[in-house]
Amino acid sequence: MNVDDAKNILKWTRERLHKTFELIPDEFLDFKPDCVIPDGEKFSKTRGILNHIGWVENYWIHEKMAKNPLDKEYWNFRKLGVSEIVKKLDIIREKTNEWLDSLEDSNLDRPYSNRAKKHISWIVYHLAEHEAHHLGQICLLTTFAGVKIIWS
C-alpha cells in the first residue's frame, strides 16, 4: 500500500457514506428499532454510530500517530443534523489526508509506534473496514425505519 492507495481506500468508504446520507432526514439520526438491543451494544442509533466512526479515526490517526487530536467537544453531535455531522466527519478525513500526504510511502510499512506491532497501512485499512462495517449497521437501521436509500 502506498499513500495514494491509503487515501483511495478511505475515500471509497466515505463516498458510500455520502451516498447513503444524501436523502436521509435528520429525524433518522435518533431512530431506534422496535426490537431488543443486546446488552453491551452501545451504538443502536445512527447519531452514535456516526460519532463513533469519527472518534475512532481521530483516535488512531490524530491521537495515536500524528499526536494532534481534535478537542473532545468536537464530538458533541447531540444537536446536529445529518449535513452538519457529515461535514464534521469530512473535516477529520481532510486532516487524515493531510497527515497521509506528509508521509513517504515507506512509512506505511512501519509500526505506528515504538511498541506497536500493527503497521500504519493496517490501521488505514482497518479504518476503512470499520467505517464500512458501521455503514452496514446504518443501512440496516434505515430498513427498519422504512427509509429508502437510493443506490445508483
Side-chain angles (χ1 to χ4, degrees), residues 32-93:
K32 189 170 183 180
D34 188 21
C35 62
V36 176
I37 305 295
D39 289 341
E41 182 59 46
K42 298 185 332 187
F43 308 113
S44 59
K45 294 180 182 177
T46 300
R47 184 183 306 276
I49 295 169
L50 291 171
N51 182 283
H52 175 70
I53 288 169
W55 183 89
V56 166
E57 184 171 338
N58 180 61
Y59 175 80
W60 278 106
I61 300 293
H62 302 288
E63 189 170 321
K64 286 292 192 187
M65 293 188 283
K67 307 292 188 214
N68 188 23
L70 291 169
D71 186 274
K72 289 185 190 232
E73 185 55 34
Y74 187 85
W75 305 108
N76 184 356
F77 287 4
R78 281 186 215 117
K79 296 181 181 178
L80 301 180
V82 169
S83 63
E84 296 164 305
I85 292 172
V86 170
K87 282 180 189 171
K88 283 194 168 217
L89 293 174
D90 287 347
I91 288 169
I92 190 70
R93 184 55 51 85

Side-chain angles (χ1 to χ4, degrees), residues 128-147:
E129 182 182 51
H130 174 261
E131 187 166 322
H133 165 79
H134 286 301
L135 188 55
Q137 287 180 309
I138 291 167
C139 289
L140 181 62
L141 286 172
T142 64
T143 300
F144 289 156
V147 176

